[in-house]
Amino acid sequence: MLISTVCAAVSAAGLGIALLTAYRKRFLAATRIAAYALIPVLVMTGIIDWVTDLVLKPAVWAGFGVLALSAALFMITRAVERRGGGTGTRKERRAAAAERPEAVAPGAAAPSLGPGRTARPSKGKSKPGAGDDFSDIEAILKKHGI
């Protein structure tokens, strides 16, 4: 009870000094004084007791240690997963890579429109093959005189 009274008096005095400082238009200093003046209120509310109990208990630190270990293991597994590991032994990974189908050539990925039909109508004198792709562009450039 005595501690609460002393803490309240110290806080009230500090806030009074902060008000006088703010009246003199020194707001930054007044804010700093008010912050210091409110610290004894923490003692009254019991937050200091809670913090000391939290900091000084070994069980709490063991919990933080287990939490840190869990986070470290999670980050290690993510790093290994990103590097391409984690899917068995090297032989198993090589066998899985051998079973994957080969990459498809870009020409083979063109849509099929049926027999005898092409995706783009060919111009009269353009050659089949690589020239087909640029015939539209050539026509536009010729139209603009380029």
Side-chain angles (χ1 to χ4, degrees), residues 28-135:
L28 186 63
T31 305
R32 196 174 294 131
I33 292 170
Y36 283 123
L38 293 175
I39 290 175
V41 175
L42 294 175
V43 176
M44 290 179 2
T45 59
I47 290 177
I48 300 297
D49 292 334
W50 177 76
V51 170
T52 56
D53 286 343
L54 181 73
V55 170
L56 299 177
K57 284 187 179 176
V60 172
W61 287 106
F64 282 128
V66 169
L67 184 64
L69 178 66
S70 172
L73 290 174
F74 180 72
M75 288 188 294
I76 289 170
T77 57
R78 292 286 297 192
V80 169
E81 204 173 63
R82 286 185 181 165
R83 292 185 72 188
T87 57
T89 64
R90 182 178 291 175
K91 289 181 181 179
E92 291 173 351
R93 288 192 300 266
R94 285 184 182 167
E99 291 175 4
R100 289 187 200 137
E102 292 297 319
V104 178
S112 173
L113 299 176
R117 296 176 59 191
T118 59
R120 190 179 303 128
S122 60
K123 302 290 179 193
K125 56 182 176 177
S126 66
K127 298 180 228 171
D132 260 354
D133 296 337
F134 297 106
S135 61

